[in-house]
Amino acid sequence: MKNIKISLLGLGVVGSKLLDYVRENGSELSRRLEVQLSIDKVFVRDVAKRRAVDVSDLILTNDPYEAVKDGDIVVECLGGSGAQQTREIVLSAIKAQKAVIMSSKKCLALYGREITDAVRENQTYFRYDATVGGCIPVSSVLESMGKCEKINKIYGICNATSNYILDEMQNNSTYASALQKAKEKGFAENDPGDDVDGFDALYKSVILAGFGMGHWIDCDTIAPTSIKSITAEDFCKARQKESAIKPIFSVENKDGRYSCFVGPSAVSRDSILASVKGSNNMIVISSSESGERAFYGQGAGAKPTASAMFDDLVKTIKEIRH
Ligand SMILES: NC(=O)c1ccc[n+]([C@@H]2O[C@H](COP(=O)([O-])OP(=O)(O)OC[C@H]3O[C@@H](n4cnc5c(N)ncnc54)[C@H](OP(=O)(O)O)[C@@H]3O)[C@@H](O)[C@H]2O)c1
């Protein structure tokens, strides 16, 4: 039976949930796939920190390269704003021909071209479903469409925090009270800047264009519009026109010219985008042969994100086995 070692980078909200899933489902997975699966080393910033999960059988290290060295599959769940540090760790893992599963959307959006080039050059495995769309298995959809379809446009709603806040404001809440409610429900982080100002959705749009259209948009060339720019008057006008204001993203390829929009936009109340509520996401893919296809599901939170990573882990083990 083949031994497969997992190196886990990060044991925060997502990493801890993923560890739970591996512990709960690992032996069944090992039996089904005929592998001996283990998590040995885990990279964290502070090895002495009290953890929400039992770490007594794990080796915690504050040296990411030490964790990467011993694993066959490197699962990255790193937080913080250190996209550059994450890039270096991920590239070192790829160059050592480890299979890599990523969750850091900012790092992948900023360095996607370099990372995917390195994956190709080093002929290793790479998965990224946790970076965009939560539980929507969008990478599998994009891979399966690559055969005869040309993807012209990908659009929808991919930020739960902004979606929830705009829905609340549509029902007469102020921005401040809607944000407070979003925090209480766990839809918003303490610092919601990247979410409400559109950067989170921008990173996801760039990743979707990169994998869906083969074109990596430079994040610095796109200025997202913050939902904070929306006023009570905007909601009033939208209501009069039977519309709702939703946090929309869109990337489009028109004859090789790429455009990207991220920001609040009025959509008809009858449209499928208007029906996307709370923490849900919708990704609509428009392609040459099949027209539009829409994918819907929970987009935020530890459970859908860690579940997407667990699915990536299963796919990666199957690839390694074959
Ligand atoms: N939470 C979600 O719903 C969600 C959804 C989709 C994608 N993601 C992505 O998943 C990744 C992990 O998110 P999370 O919510 O699990 O983050 P988190 O709770 O803040 O955990 C981050 C982990 O990274 C470790 N770490 C190592 N170096 C760090 C540094 N320089 N700054 C901050 N943390 C550092 C931390 O170590 P210590 O534990 O020792 O502090 C911690 O274990 C992020 O890239 C996020 O964008 C999250």
Side-chain angles (χ1 to χ4, degrees):
M1 203 180 259
K2 187 172 172 56
N3 277 326
I4 295 189
K5 287 188 191 169
I6 301 167
S7 298
L8 188 56
L9 308 180
L11 198 54
V13 175
V14 174
S16 300
K17 196 75 224 158
L18 180 65
L19 181 64
D20 282 347
Y21 291 158
V22 172
R23 283 177 171 159
E24 285 161 20
N25 304 288
S27 29
E28 170 62 14
L29 190 64
S30 295
R31 193 189 58 74
R32 250 190 317 123
L33 300 181
E34 296 176 345
V35 292
Q36 195 61 48
L37 199 59
S38 62
I39 295 186
D40 293 344
K41 290 201 178 147
V42 182
F43 164 58
V44 289
R45 187 173 33 174
D46 176 4
V47 292
K49 188 168 164 180
R50 274 175 73 97
R51 304 277 160 191
V53 283
D54 177 12
V55 292
S56 55
D57 59 341
L58 302 172
I59 300 168
L60 300 190
T61 170
N62 54 16
D63 177 355
Y65 301 97
E66 175 65 26
V68 164
K69 188 164 61 89
D70 289 342
D72 301 296
I73 304 176
V74 174
V75 183
E76 176 273 313
C77 319
L78 292 173
S81 53
Q84 177 65 19
Q85 189 203 16
T86 304
R87 166 192 169 269
E88 280 160 23
I89 302 168
V90 164
L91 284 174
S92 83
I94 294 169
K95 284 174 188 165
Q97 292 193 304
K98 315 281 182 185
V100 172
I101 296 169
M102 275 189 85
S103 75
S104 294
K105 61 206 109 165
K106 182 174 180 180
C107 175
L108 188 54
L110 289 175
Y111 306 111
R113 192 196 312 263
E114 190 183 12
I115 290 171
T116 50
D117 283 351
V119 169
R120 231 183 339 270
E121 279 159 23
N122 291 280
Q123 299 186 0
T124 188
Y125 305 103
F126 182 79
R127 300 238 152 233
Y128 63 93
D129 247 332
T131 62
V132 52
C135 67
I136 301 171
V138 73
S139 72
S140 303
V141 173
L142 294 177
E143 271 165 33
S144 69
M145 286 174 78
K147 311 293 182 287
C148 66
E149 301 267 359
K150 180 172 169 291
I151 296 174
N152 306 311
K153 185 172 176 180
I154 308 177
Y155 68 98
I157 293 172
C158 65
N159 187 273
T161 310
S162 298
N163 195 40
Y164 180 83
I165 291 174
L166 286 177
D167 280 353
E168 285 294 305
M169 289 174 77
Q170 219 114 221
N171 295 325
N172 299 321
S173 281
T174 61
Y175 172 78
S177 70
L179 174 59
Q180 184 53 35
K181 262 197 200 169
K183 282 185 183 172
E184 284 162 15
K185 287 188 172 279
F187 296 158
E189 293 176 28
N190 278 335
D191 175 6
D194 268 5
D195 292 315
V196 297
D197 293 334
F199 289 97
D200 175 84
L202 168 62
Y203 300 143
K204 292 168 178 169
S205 308
V206 169
I207 293 168
L208 289 170
F211 288 101
M213 299 170 174
H215 179 79
W216 288 94
I217 297 168
D218 181 349
C219 294
D220 289 339
T221 62
I222 311 295
T225 309
S226 173
I227 61 164
K228 287 188 279 189
S229 63
I230 296 296
T231 62
E233 201 186 333
D234 293 323
F235 284 112
C236 195
K237 278 189 197 154
R239 239 175 265 130
Q240 283 164 2
K241 290 183 181 165
E242 305 274 307
S243 297
I245 297 180
K246 304 294 274 180
I248 303 298
F249 79 92
S250 163
V251 280
E252 195 164 3
N253 171 10
K254 265 192 192 155
D255 302 323
R257 292 183 61 189
Y258 294 86
S259 59
C260 176
F261 167 81
V262 176
S265 227
V267 297
S268 162
R269 282 204 178 279
D270 299 334
S271 72
I272 49 170
L273 292 181
S275 68
V276 179
K277 301 287 181 204
S279 65
N280 290 302
N281 281 187
M282 180 173 280
I283 298 175
V284 185
I285 302 177
S286 173
S287 60
S288 57
E289 310 309 306
S290 307
E292 293 203 335
R293 284 179 256 188
F295 303 88
Y296 180 80
Q298 220 176 304
K303 287 184 183 177
T305 307
S307 167
M309 295 197 93
F310 188 80
D311 289 351
D312 277 353
L313 189 60
V314 176
K315 286 176 198 154
T316 305
I317 295 168
K318 284 182 179 167
E319 284 169 331
I320 291 175
R321 289 282 290 118
H322 288 103

